[in-house]
Amino acid sequence: MTAQTQQDSPLVIAGRTFKSRLIIGTGKYETYEQNARALEASGAEMITVAVRRVNLSDPSQPRLVDFIDPRQYTFLPNTAGCFTGEDAVRTLRLAREAGGWDLVKLEVLSDPKHLYPDMAETLRACEMLVKEGFEVMVYCSDDPVYAKRLEEAGACAIMPLGAPIGSGLGIQNPVNIRLIIEEAKVPVIVDAGVGTASDAAVGMELGCDGILMNTAIAEAKDPIRMASAMKHAVIAGREAYLAGRMPKKRYADPSSPLAGLI
Amino acid sequence: MSQIDVELNGETRQIPSSLTLKGLLEHLELDPRKVAVERNLEIAPRDGYDSIRIEAGDRLEIVHFVGGG
C-alpha cells in the first residue's frame, strides 16, 4: 500500500463499528463446530441467529452459544419464520431478553417458493420495532422506493436481496442495488443470493457497505475454505470500489508504448 | 408433591406445583443464562426468575438461539 492510499473508513451500523464488511449466517452447517471454524476463517464479526423453542426432551443437545461466544461476536437475531409484524415483535422481544441486545435483523417473508419479503408487512413491522427501541437491519426486496421508506421508518441498515434466499444465483439486479446505494444514508448490505466469491465482489464493487451470506459458505464442499474466499472477495470488491474502476471501452488499447518500436 | 399442568413450548406437561421460574428451569435442566422465557405472552424478565411463580394453566415459551441466516 502506498503512502497516498486513503485508509477506508470502517463499517458503522447503529453506532457499532466493524472492521469486517462480511456478515455470515449460522444455518445449514453440518455442526456448530464447523460453523465456528468457518466464522473464524471468514473474519466476520457479526452473525445472524434464529430464535427457536428449546428441545425440552433433550436439554443436553449442543447449543450455538457454546461454540460461538456472544461476547466475542455480535449476534444479530433474525425473524425468520415470521409472517406478520406481531410475530416479528414477539420473537425479537424474546431475543432481546435472551441476549440483551437491541440490534436485530427483520425479515418478513411471504411465499416459501421464492421467500420474497412481504414488503408492506416488513415496513409495518419495522415501524413497530423502531417504536419498541430496536435497531433494525431490514431484509428487503431490491425496490429503491421501499428501501427509502424503510430508511424513513428508522431502519439502521437496508439489506436488499441479490437473488432469492439460498439460491446462490448472484446479484440479479445490479441496477436496482446501485440505485438503493445512491439514495441511502444508512449502510446498504446485500443479503441473500451470493453463490460464490465473485458474487460477493460484484456486490462490493457496486458500492455496498457489506454482504450478508449463509448458504454460499455452509453448502460449499469445503465451507471453511469458502469462508476464507468470501473474506478476500469482500475486501477485494471494496478495494476495487474505492479504487474506481477503469472505464469500459469498445476496442482494444495496447498496454505497451507504440513509440520506439525497432 | 402435588403437580400442576402447564403448557410448555406448545405441549401440556405436568410439573411440580409452587415452582418459581428459576425452579422450573432447574427442573428442566436448562441454564437460565442461555434461554429466554415468555409467560402468557409476556416476556419474563431475567431478573425476575426468582420471584415469578408458575401457576396451573400457564403458557410458557422457552427459547434459545440456534443457527439461522
Side-chain angles (χ1 to χ4, degrees):
Chain A
M1 202 178 279
T2 63
Q4 291 91 342
T5 304
Q6 291 278 313
Q7 200 70 25
D8 188 10
S9 50
L11 172 62
V12 180
I13 301 172
R16 292 168 178 78
T17 301
F18 299 93
K19 287 197 287 285
S20 170
R21 293 176 177 274
L22 177 58
I23 303 168
I24 73 169
T26 54
K28 300 180 179 171
Y29 287 91
E30 277 174 19
T31 60
Y32 283 143
E33 201 266 332
Q34 184 192 56
N35 193 166
R37 285 174 58 214
L39 174 58
E40 202 181 340
S42 76
E45 296 160 294
M46 188 174 352
I47 56 163
T48 58
V49 296
V51 178
R52 291 293 181 269
R53 284 172 167 169
V54 168
N55 182 348
L56 294 171
S57 55
D58 182 10
S60 66
Q61 275 192 345
R63 292 198 197 290
L64 176 68
V65 292
D66 295 330
F67 293 85
I68 299 174
D69 186 349
R71 288 164 301 184
Q72 196 183 343
Y73 295 96
T74 300
F75 275 42
L76 188 63
N78 71 22
T79 59
C82 295
F83 291 88
T84 67
E86 283 74 15
D87 289 347
V89 169
R90 189 179 171 205
T91 299
L92 291 177
R93 277 181 185 158
L94 275 164
R96 176 156 63 185
E97 198 56 31
W101 43 75
D102 296 323
L103 188 65
V104 295
K105 169 180 165 177
L106 173 65
E107 55 179 301
V108 181
L109 307 183
S110 52
D111 188 331
K113 190 165 94 185
H114 49 62
L115 295 178
Y116 233 68
D118 177 336
M119 287 312 300
E121 196 60 24
T122 298
L123 180 60
R124 196 174 72 88
C126 180
E127 287 164 351
M128 291 168 75
L129 288 165
V130 167
K131 209 175 281 177
E132 289 226 4
F134 286 100
E135 305 275 10
V136 193
M137 299 171 69
V138 190
Y139 171 67
C140 56
S141 62
D142 57 12
D143 175 346
V145 181
Y146 256 118
K148 201 72 211 163
R149 288 268 169 84
L150 288 168
E151 188 177 329
E152 287 161 4
C156 69
I158 306 295
M159 305 205 290
L161 53 82
I165 293 173
S167 70
L169 290 169
I171 294 173
Q172 298 293 296
N173 199 339
V175 175
N176 277 23
I177 300 286
R178 190 179 45 74
L179 283 171
I180 290 171
I181 293 164
E182 281 176 11
E183 291 300 314
K185 293 185 183 68
V186 295
V188 176
I189 292 162
V190 162
D191 179 359
V194 164
T196 187
S198 51
D199 298 333
V202 165
M204 295 308 293
E205 285 170 15
L206 286 170
C208 286
D209 297 281
I211 308 275
L212 198 165
M213 65 178 74
N214 187 346
T215 314
I217 297 175
E219 289 191 354
K221 283 201 182 99
D222 181 346
I224 291 129
R225 193 158 207 143
M226 187 57 91
S228 167
M230 292 302 184
K231 171 187 174 173
H232 291 107
V234 167
I235 293 169
R238 177 68 182 174
E239 288 288 292
Y241 167 72
L242 292 174
R245 63 154 298 147
M246 62 163 279
K248 290 184 180 178
K249 297 170 194 166
R250 290 168 68 89
Y251 302 103
D253 180 8
S255 298
S256 305
L258 295 175
L261 273 170
I262 54 168
Chain B
M1 198 192 293
S2 63
Q3 302 264 315
I4 55 169
D5 277 352
V6 294
E7 194 185 306
L8 266 184
N9 286 358
E11 287 179 12
T12 304
R13 272 176 81 127
Q14 284 211 323
I15 60 162
S17 59
S18 71
L19 283 178
T20 61
L21 179 51
K22 181 163 177 263
L24 173 67
L25 294 175
E26 278 166 11
H27 174 74
L28 296 168
E29 297 172 48
L30 295 172
D31 183 342
R33 292 167 304 172
K34 292 175 185 170
V35 299
V37 183
E38 183 195 76
R39 178 176 174 240
N40 302 327
L41 298 174
E42 298 272 334
I43 294 290
R46 205 167 269 271
D47 54 13
Y49 287 6
D50 264 335
S51 53
I52 293 171
R53 298 225 155 257
I54 306 300
E55 289 169 27
D58 272 358
R59 285 176 57 201
L60 296 149
E61 291 286 348
I62 305 176
V63 302
H64 64 157
F65 290 129
V66 302

